[in-house]
Amino acid sequence: ETGVTQTPRHLVMGMTNKKSLKCEQHLGHNAMYWYKQSAKKPLELMFVYNFKEQTENNSVPSRFSPECPNSSHLFLHLHTLQPEDSALYLCASSQSGGRSSYEQYFGPGTRLTVT
Amino acid sequence: AQSVTQLGSHVSVSEGALVLLRCNYSSSVPPYLFWYVQYPNQGLQLLLKYTSAATLVKGINDFEAEFKKSETSFHLTKPSAHMSDAAEYFCAVSEGSSASKIIFGSGTRLSIRP
């Protein structure tokens, strides 16, 4: 596997379910990100992890719970979601430390539908 | 503070015509600038980046962008559009001070007419 992978690619869940999204990067990066992409809205940064430590949480509801066990893996645990949470969830990774361009490399995304 | 503005949420060109997607940025320090492309149901793919080495940057699939400091612009061009270029394009800016501080534009959807 190369680059950034995400599983599952598609997920349908009810509002009372609990599910998790997984992201893995094979690029040797130290920073990982979760984004939400909804139709007709700008890309929304949700969480940032730098060297496994959460460095940003952009006012994301607690029904979204991230986990970063190491620099290569990132999870997004979901519970009691709302229909408006239906979106494409994108994971990305980048280098970190010092002044750098920090371009981010994205996974293919998980298309989440909440019914 | 950084910001990026993409002019035109939707651009339509004929196959073989010039593609021009506009991006203007705001940054308090010399910026790093990026263009990403997103095909349907896929993630964002880096097309090219500007890191101050050269003002004209060449990317994949014959795309290029020119950094113009005086105009605070970083427009994306391609001489001849192909049907396969139909996608969403995002301009982004970073000040390079933190791994999290990449600001994305709202995107421009490019359609190609046969």
Side-chain angles (χ1 to χ4, degrees):
Chain A
E1 289 278 13
T2 58
V4 181
T5 59
Q6 289 187 244
T7 55
R9 293 294 311 275
H10 300 271
L11 178 62
V12 179
M13 60 186 287
M15 290 190 284
T16 58
N17 291 160
K18 288 185 181 181
K19 296 286 185 183
S20 295
L21 310 185
K22 179 183 175 182
C23 175
E24 184 174 0
Q25 60 94 2
H26 307 266
L27 300 169
H29 291 159
N30 295 309
M32 296 188 77
Y33 313 76
W34 279 117
Y35 287 88
K36 177 183 179 183
Q37 188 176 37
S38 305
K40 302 191 187 305
K41 284 188 178 181
L43 207 57
E44 299 174 54
L45 179 64
M46 300 174 72
F47 301 104
V48 181
Y49 278 82
N50 202 2
F51 292 94
K52 300 189 299 179
E53 299 297 320
Q54 187 179 122
T55 54
E56 280 200 39
N57 175 341
N58 284 330
S59 304
V60 180
S62 59
R63 57 185 182 269
F64 294 92
S65 174
E67 178 190 1
C68 188
N70 55 60
S71 291
S72 298
H73 294 87
L74 185 64
F75 295 89
L76 188 62
H77 304 301
L78 316 170
H79 65 97
T80 58
L81 295 190
Q82 304 299 311
E84 60 264 30
D85 297 322
S86 298
L88 183 68
Y89 287 85
L90 293 166
C91 173
S93 70
S94 77
Q95 290 288 8
S96 63
R99 187 166 195 269
S100 174
S101 53
Y102 296 124
E103 64 266 28
Q104 295 178 11
Y105 293 84
F106 285 79
T110 295
R111 174 68 63 185
L112 174 67
T113 303
V114 181
T115 60
Chain B
Q2 317 162 72
S3 66
V4 61
T5 302
Q6 291 185 241
L7 300 174
S9 59
H10 183 211
V11 170
S12 179
V13 302
S14 297
E15 192 174 16
L18 171 73
V19 174
L20 171 61
L21 303 183
R22 299 177 188 274
C23 173
N24 287 90
Y25 70 91
S26 172
S27 178
S28 56
V29 300
Y32 297 108
L33 294 159
F34 313 89
W35 275 99
Y36 284 84
V37 61
Q38 185 179 31
Y39 298 102
N41 296 313
Q42 294 188 28
L44 278 67
Q45 178 184 0
L46 183 66
L47 264 182
L48 50 81
K49 66 176 182 180
Y50 166 76
T51 58
S52 78
T55 57
L56 184 61
V57 181
K58 294 187 182 300
I60 61 174
N61 299 335
D62 296 327
F63 282 95
E64 62 181 37
E66 187 172 9
F67 172 70
K68 292 188 176 180
K69 183 178 178 181
S70 60
E71 298 177 8
T72 60
S73 69
F74 190 57
H75 301 331
L76 181 70
T77 61
K78 180 172 179 174
S80 176
H82 293 169
M83 295 300 292
S84 59
D85 294 326
E88 187 95 18
Y89 291 79
F90 294 90
C91 182
V93 62
S94 166
E95 293 184 348
S97 60
S98 166
S100 65
K101 296 302 182 185
I102 286 187
I103 306 300
F104 287 88
S106 54
T108 297
R109 184 163 62 91
L110 176 65
S111 300
I112 312 296
R113 302 187 300 270

